[in-house]
Amino acid sequence: MHAIWRSLIGFAATTCILFSLAYGQSTAVTLNFVTLTAPHAAIGAPIAYQLAVTNTGSTTIQIITNVQLVAPDATVYNIFASQPTLAPGQVKIAAGQFTTKNLTSQTGGFVLKGFTRDIVTKQIVYETDIPLVISTVPANGVYASIGGQGPASAVLGYTTDFEYVVANLGSTIQTLTVNTTLVDPNGTQYVLTTGKAANYKAGANTVSAGETGTTQYSALTGAWSVRVDVLNGSKAVIATDTFSFTRNPLPSTIFVPTFTNTASTAGIDVQRTFINNKACGPATDKIPGGVGAAVADYDGDGLEDLFVNDINGNNHLWRNNGDGTFTDMAAAAGLPVGVSAVSSSGSSFADIDNDGNPDLLILFNQTPNRLFHNNGNGTFTEITATAGINQVTPQNNISATWGDYDNDGYLDLYVTVHADCNGTNQNDHLYHNNGNLTFTDVTNLLGGSTAADVNGRGMVVEFVDYNQDGRVDIYLGNDVGTQSFSHPNVLWRNDGSDGKGGWIFTDVSAASGAGVAVSSMGIGQSDYNRTGRYSLLVTNFGPNFLLQQQSGNTFLQEQGDNPGGAHVARGNVPKPSNPGTNQNITWGTAFYDFDNDTWEDIYMAGGSLLNGPTQYPGAFFLNNQDGTFLDLTILSGTATVNTSEPTAVFADFNQDGFMDFFQAGLSGHPLLFMNNGLSQGNPNHWLELKLVGTTSNRDAVGARIVASVGGVNLLRTVVNGGAFQGSNSLIQHFGLGAATQVDTLTVYWPSGEVQTLSNVAAGQRMTITEQ
């Protein structure tokens, strides 16, 4: 008796039949088989397919996989065969394409079979049958089709993948233009891509892939479609096809977080004007900075405050008044404003001397960095001259991260450096905290100032204990990492003391899979899929990268829409001014449980390059609780577009148990997005924790927290870094869903101390001091 199985991912205009027979361990390998293009083609036009197998078992296994085509006369043609070996949890994907013309001249109804067989018995375990229709060549010789893995039916916010085929099956060359269009349930059309005229030789074809999120355009549910049109030299449509899909309402159990921009009523809506320093030099890729922001309770009143950089010198220290408003205290606090603060770039709060008062590092563009010690009375004293954090030659400093890499109880510092005014790279710096308000440059631990690893165009960095061995590692995100004048991202594993007074950092970028070559803008880390391991999100000028950590401390790229993918790549976004598609740019990012349902969500700040005319929206992704995310930007109210090169920093500014965030850029008005969860009646519970180290560094950076709630472990770690030119609140936030308490709360301190609390009540911000 064959059992009927449900396909993991739906697809349009395709019927699948799945079979299962039990043959030992081979049943632990599941099959997902789809056509990526439409399940129809003219003879001579290609059809693309994808076969994915997943080992859901607990042991490594080998399986046989096959793809076969059955013609109308029942002749069977072998398309693909392999014998992959899969470790537990591993997914392997095979993709290919074929044309029936190379196999047979028949037209009509075909069947494409994808199946797995037991390695020992050779009998079929899983099979998916996809009906195909092959037609004759159109009279004009031009054929187009569009289809995709979909899914054909999903909830609102789910992305849609499609691939389209354009083929000149005639005997003469043709000049063709290809456009794609999204059509909403009301018939409104949105141009996705506008092609350029291209010559197609006789027999030539192209297969192109696309991806779109309907909620980038509208919150409508119902029947949507993507259409491909092929135009001739006279701009007449001579071939067309449509891929249809539906987007359904969200379940009533989902409380979509919404946000209100309160910057104006909060008193922080200070517009900024970008001034391009044309005397700087000829570099076209020089990032000028000037968008930084940092969060901390600088005056010890229990409320999170904001420091905001301005490249023109108009820095602000916004003191949180506790009533939804803020007061600028920068001048009164002794922080630089006006002429002395020109070229202010990024910023970061950290308690560098463990006195309980957050100190402030201000990064500068081509001007020495400045460090301010918090006096504990609402004022700061500059200690730059003696701190030892400045380079001999001023550099283009961008971002910073703090972490105690040697666990001596004091926070060390890493500063990223971008290209200078002449487009010359300048090296990053690792500084060791000496425990007396001074630092020593120890970049030699990373290979020295001339090492390639520290001479990319540094953009963003964080100390994070990715392998949970009690020592914070360093993950560096570089700009334009694909170019020879920069460097891919770098992951240094902290291997501890060398026994000779030094320290060992090992570059595991390649071995771990974390060394992606992208234009890194922001870094977020989370156990978003509850595996007990930290995955890393890297925002990008282009598709984002989600590095999902596997067993063995390696990473797989799972940002896309394939089986196992998270659907957060977001490679293209709507162009606000002209029809067509813009490449995505997202910057500052973080994972937080914005709706308190126990699953961490994502916000990514959007913005243009160098204050360019085209603006890019931010993106809000809701965790779909199955390893995927839903793009609900429009529904969340965060689709505002008015800033350039933005940073985003996160905190619960009004202490209502729902996470908020501040966003600003080179020009325009800042945004203070306050979470409406409480006023909208979101019933989910929460817990917020402030950790105070004693043997460990006082900020508890590097501490790992495990909250056990109803048999589920929720994981967070204290990180000071990863934000583009800024730093987030160090108070850790947990969404608890319906739970009114945390059953056990375990803190793994950097010192090695382990502290466990039981039956911790929800709905509070509590302080835990290291014992």
Side-chain angles (χ1 to χ4, degrees), residues 453-501:
D453 278 359
V454 296
N455 276 277
R457 299 198 170 180
M459 188 70 85
V460 63
V461 63
E462 68 176 18
F463 280 106
V464 59
D465 183 9
Y466 83 98
N467 57 2
Q468 301 182 40
D469 65 355
R471 296 185 294 264
V472 289
D473 313 292
I474 305 173
Y475 188 55
L476 168 66
N478 286 313
D479 193 12
V480 288
T482 58
Q483 300 298 319
S484 60
F485 54 75
S486 187
H487 194 279
N489 290 0
V490 183
L491 177 61
W492 285 283
R493 186 183 65 214
N494 186 338
D495 287 333
S497 172
D498 64 0
K500 304 174 184 178

Side-chain angles (χ1 to χ4, degrees), residues 324-336:
T325 67
F326 293 76
T327 300
D328 189 1
M329 302 298 293
L335 296 177

Side-chain angles (χ1 to χ4, degrees), residues 266-611:
I268 65 174
D269 190 11
V270 179
Q271 184 173 5
R272 291 196 282 187
T273 302
F274 173 66
I275 297 177
N276 188 4
N277 183 5
K278 298 193 180 295
C280 177
T284 58
D285 186 53
K286 179 182 179 296
I287 297 294
V291 302
V295 176
D297 176 14
Y298 85 93
D299 56 357
D301 65 354
L303 300 168
E304 298 281 69
D305 310 301
L306 269 170
F307 179 82
V308 181
N309 298 81
D310 189 327
I311 197 170
N312 301 314
N314 301 316
N315 294 336
H316 302 278
L317 177 62
W318 296 113
R319 185 186 65 196
N320 189 337
N321 298 322
D323 59 359
T325 67
F326 293 76
T327 300
D328 189 1
M329 302 298 293
L335 296 177
V337 295
V339 175
S340 69
V342 170
S343 298
S344 168
S345 184
S347 55
S348 180
F349 281 107
D351 185 357
I352 64 173
D353 58 347
N354 296 331
D355 66 354
N357 302 308
D359 310 297
L360 178 63
L361 171 69
I362 305 179
L363 304 176
F364 281 81
N365 175 12
Q366 301 302 142
T367 302
N369 296 324
R370 301 173 71 176
L371 183 61
F372 294 84
H373 181 254
N374 191 326
N375 298 319
N377 60 1
T379 67
F380 294 80
T381 297
E382 184 169 3
I383 59 172
T384 306
T386 58
I389 61 168
N390 277 321
Q391 309 87 350
V392 175
T393 302
Q395 296 183 311
N396 183 12
N397 304 285
I398 296 291
S399 298
T401 185
W402 301 87
D404 183 5
Y405 73 78
D406 57 353
N407 284 339
D408 65 353
Y410 291 93
L411 289 175
D412 309 303
L413 171 66
Y414 188 109
V415 177
T416 66
V417 180
H418 205 271
D420 65 12
C421 292
N422 295 312
T424 302
N425 289 5
Q426 301 171 308
N427 68 278
D428 298 344
H429 294 267
L430 175 64
Y431 296 100
H432 178 261
N433 188 331
N434 300 320
N436 58 359
L437 298 180
T438 69
F439 293 80
T440 299
D441 191 325
V442 291
T443 312
N444 62 290
L445 298 179
L446 305 179
S449 62
T450 61
D453 278 359
V454 296
N455 276 277
R457 299 198 170 180
M459 188 70 85
V460 63
V461 63
E462 68 176 18
F463 280 106
V464 59
D465 183 9
Y466 83 98
N467 57 2
Q468 301 182 40
D469 65 355
R471 296 185 294 264
V472 289
D473 313 292
I474 305 173
Y475 188 55
L476 168 66
N478 286 313
D479 193 12
V480 288
T482 58
Q483 300 298 319
S484 60
F485 54 75
S486 187
H487 194 279
N489 290 0
V490 183
L491 177 61
W492 285 283
R493 186 183 65 214
N494 186 338
D495 287 333
S497 172
D498 64 0
K500 304 174 184 178
W503 211 259
I504 301 173
F505 287 94
T506 302
D507 182 350
V508 294
S509 310
S512 68
V516 293
V518 296
S519 292
S520 302
M521 306 296 185
I523 300 172
Q525 74 290 318
S526 173
D527 180 21
Y528 74 93
N529 54 355
R530 293 184 180 174
T531 62
R533 298 184 288 268
Y534 295 116
S535 295
L536 300 169
L537 173 67
V538 181
T539 55
N540 183 31
F541 180 21
N544 304 308
F545 281 68
L546 180 65
L547 306 178
Q548 185 188 88
Q549 190 173 169
Q550 310 297 300
S551 59
N553 302 320
T554 60
F555 295 88
L556 290 179
Q557 296 181 27
E558 294 291 8
Q559 64 273 1
D561 300 348
N562 283 317
H567 294 249
V568 295
R570 197 176 182 260
N572 295 310
V573 294
K575 184 181 289 187
S577 53
N578 303 311
T581 299
N582 263 346
Q583 193 172 18
N584 173 56
I585 306 177
T586 47
W587 302 74
T589 188
F591 289 86
Y592 285 100
D593 187 358
F594 291 102
D595 60 347
N596 289 340
D597 66 351
T598 74
W599 296 86
E600 292 194 333
D601 315 301
I602 303 171
Y603 180 74
M604 308 174 188
S608 69
L609 284 172
L610 300 178
N611 203 47

Side-chain angles (χ1 to χ4, degrees), residues 23 117-124:
Y23 295 107
R117 289 187 289 149
D118 186 271
I119 195 72
V120 176
T121 68
K122 304 299 188 293
Q123 298 194 56
I124 293 175

